[in-house]
């Protein structure tokens, strides 16, 4: 089924933030960015910069611009969305239950930054297999439906549920993944083809060890939450992290592997009940260390 170019897209949800929600000065700086990018005036109240300096005070000059679709934004038609993506504008879509994503095919062909939210189940996910320009994909935690699987050539950042894993792991340029496993297992033998630098796994109850990395030396940050028994000793020697966080885990193996990491700057092992061989952590040279509510042997080993 195809929609008319004048068909409205999106669904009403809670109102969008007002133009000056982040303060008039920050919004003024955003507006300067929008003008430089040729964003139409009537789009600006529902546009936002995706990248800021830190601490955030101004949008970065090369920041992508995202257009929020739905809520109390002006009506958005398929024709308008196609025009927006042709200008390089990203889309933040809030879609009704049962929406068929294939209806957005003309707009998704050129989209680089895409976020999808819904309180229901969406169909037509295979349309994303043709989103060859896609750089960033964010899918809301409540969105349901079959997931895309293609190895998209430009995809670098993915945030969303477990169903996105196959697409993320196949992406040859992927550098960041934040995934909520919802207490499900990581698919067997599924590893990363891309040079991933940042990996965050939430609700990792059934994760026994980190996934496989084709480029382990690229990994800088690993964050795993709510594992039952996790073995970091399976990380390859080339994995020399800068930031490691393990939170709310019953048993953590691999203390010796952590101790050999020469680049480690931040080590956060909070609420980790048992760390066999924790005495090895005495060799850790990280500047920032947190072992609160964890195995007392780790606190003893980390005393300076």
């Amino acid at each position: 089924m195809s929609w008319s170019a004048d068909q409205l897209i999106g669904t009403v949800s809670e109102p969008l933030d007002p133009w000056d929600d982040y303060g008039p000065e920050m919004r003024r700086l955003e507006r300067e960015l929008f003008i430089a990018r040729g964003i139409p005036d009537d789009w600006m109240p529902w546009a936002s910069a995706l990248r800021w300096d830190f601490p955030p005070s101004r949008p970065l000059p090369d920041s992508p611009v995202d257009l929020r679709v739905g809520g109390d934004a002006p009506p958005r038609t398929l024709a308008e969305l196609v025009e927006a993506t042709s200008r390089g504008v990203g889309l933040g879509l809030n879609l009704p239950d049962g929406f068929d994503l294939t209806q957005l095919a003309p707009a998704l062909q050129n989209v680089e930054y895409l976020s999808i939210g819904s309180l229901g189940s969406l169909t037509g996910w295979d349309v994303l297999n043709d989103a060859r320009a896609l750089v960033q994909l964010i899918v809301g935690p409540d969105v349901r439906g079959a997931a895309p699987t293609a190895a998209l050539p430009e995809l670098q950042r993915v945030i969303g549920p477990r169903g996105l894993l196959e697409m993320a792991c196949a992406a040859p340029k992927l550098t960041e993944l934040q995934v909520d496993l919802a207490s499900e297992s990581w698919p067997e033998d599924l590893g990363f083809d891309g040079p991933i630098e940042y990996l965050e796994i939430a609700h990792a109850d059934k994760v026994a060890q980190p996934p496989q990395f084709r480029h382990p030396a690229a990994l800088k940050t690993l964050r795993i939450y709510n594992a039952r028994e996790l073995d970091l000793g399976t990380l390859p020697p080339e994995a020399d992290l800068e930031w490691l966080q393990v939170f709310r885990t019953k048993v953590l193996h691999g203390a010796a592997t952590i101790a050999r990491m020469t680049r480690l700057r931040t080590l956060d092992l909070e609420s980790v009940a048992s760390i066999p061989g924790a005495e090895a952590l005495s060799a850790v040279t990280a500047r920032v260390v947190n072992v609160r509510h964890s195995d007392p042997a780790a606190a003893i080993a980390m005393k300076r």
Side-chain angles (χ1 to χ4, degrees):
M1 181 179 108
S2 61
W3 269 14
S4 162
D6 297 324
Q7 186 92 24
L8 301 184
I9 305 293
T11 181
V12 174
S13 59
E14 58 186 64
L16 300 177
D17 295 326
W19 173 255
D20 60 352
D21 184 65
Y22 300 105
E25 176 61 17
M26 294 177 73
R27 270 309 210 176
R28 182 186 68 80
L29 294 171
E30 271 193 320
R31 183 179 177 84
E32 292 178 358
L33 175 67
F34 301 156
I35 292 173
R37 297 292 175 81
I39 305 299
D41 288 346
D42 62 333
W43 293 6
M44 289 187 184
W46 292 273
S48 59
L50 292 182
R51 293 199 192 116
W52 292 71
D53 57 3
F54 187 82
S57 61
R58 65 172 53 244
L60 297 178
D62 63 347
S63 172
V65 174
D66 183 74
L67 180 66
R68 178 83 173 268
V69 181
D72 62 355
R76 289 288 175 241
T77 66
L78 181 57
E80 286 179 309
L81 299 188
V82 171
E83 180 185 357
T85 57
S86 69
R87 294 170 178 259
V89 174
L91 300 179
L93 301 171
N94 185 47
L95 301 172
D97 183 24
F99 187 88
D100 183 358
L101 291 169
T102 60
Q103 297 163 359
L104 299 179
L108 300 184
Q109 289 176 358
N110 297 318
V111 71
E112 296 182 12
Y113 296 85
L114 177 65
S115 61
I116 300 174
S118 177
L119 295 179
S121 180
L122 306 180
T123 62
W125 285 96
D126 285 349
V127 72
L128 291 183
N129 292 336
D130 297 321
R132 310 295 290 177
L134 194 61
V135 173
Q136 174 177 288
L137 175 62
I138 300 175
V139 176
D142 297 318
V143 180
R144 300 186 299 278
T149 59
L152 297 182
E154 302 300 327
L155 189 61
Q156 297 177 27
R157 186 170 189 248
V158 174
I159 300 175
R162 182 179 181 273
L164 298 178
L165 277 181
E166 189 170 347
M167 169 179 274
C169 287
K173 293 185 179 180
L174 190 80
T175 58
E176 179 179 344
L177 173 65
Q178 299 180 41
V179 62
D180 190 333
L181 292 185
S183 300
E184 297 293 333
S185 60
W186 187 281
E188 188 176 357
D189 298 328
L190 184 63
F192 292 97
D193 288 341
I196 188 165
E197 299 176 4
Y198 183 107
L199 174 59
E200 180 176 321
I201 307 174
H203 293 102
D205 307 29
K206 297 182 181 179
V207 174
Q209 61 188 40
Q212 301 172 12
F213 303 94
R214 178 170 290 185
H215 307 279
L219 188 65
K220 297 178 180 178
T221 299
L222 178 62
R223 306 173 74 178
I224 300 179
Y225 308 139
N226 304 98
R228 294 176 183 171
E229 186 164 355
L230 178 66
D231 186 4
L232 295 182
T234 62
L235 283 170
E238 299 90 341
D240 192 4
L241 304 177
E242 296 180 6
W243 184 5
L244 173 63
Q245 182 179 33
V246 179
F247 181 63
R248 287 185 179 173
T249 293
K250 292 184 178 180
V251 182
L252 175 64
H253 300 279
T257 297
I258 298 172
R260 65 156 172 76
M261 294 180 180
T262 60
R263 295 194 304 176
L264 198 61
R265 295 184 296 179
T266 299
L267 176 62
D268 189 351
L269 307 178
E270 183 166 349
S271 300
V272 180
S274 175
I275 307 176
E279 59 275 7
L281 297 176
S282 61
V284 168
T285 59
R287 289 176 293 180
V288 178
V289 173
N290 171 31
V291 290
R292 288 178 298 183
H293 310 302
S294 292
D295 189 331
I300 295 172
M302 298 301 297
K303 283 185 177 179
R304 305 288 170 89

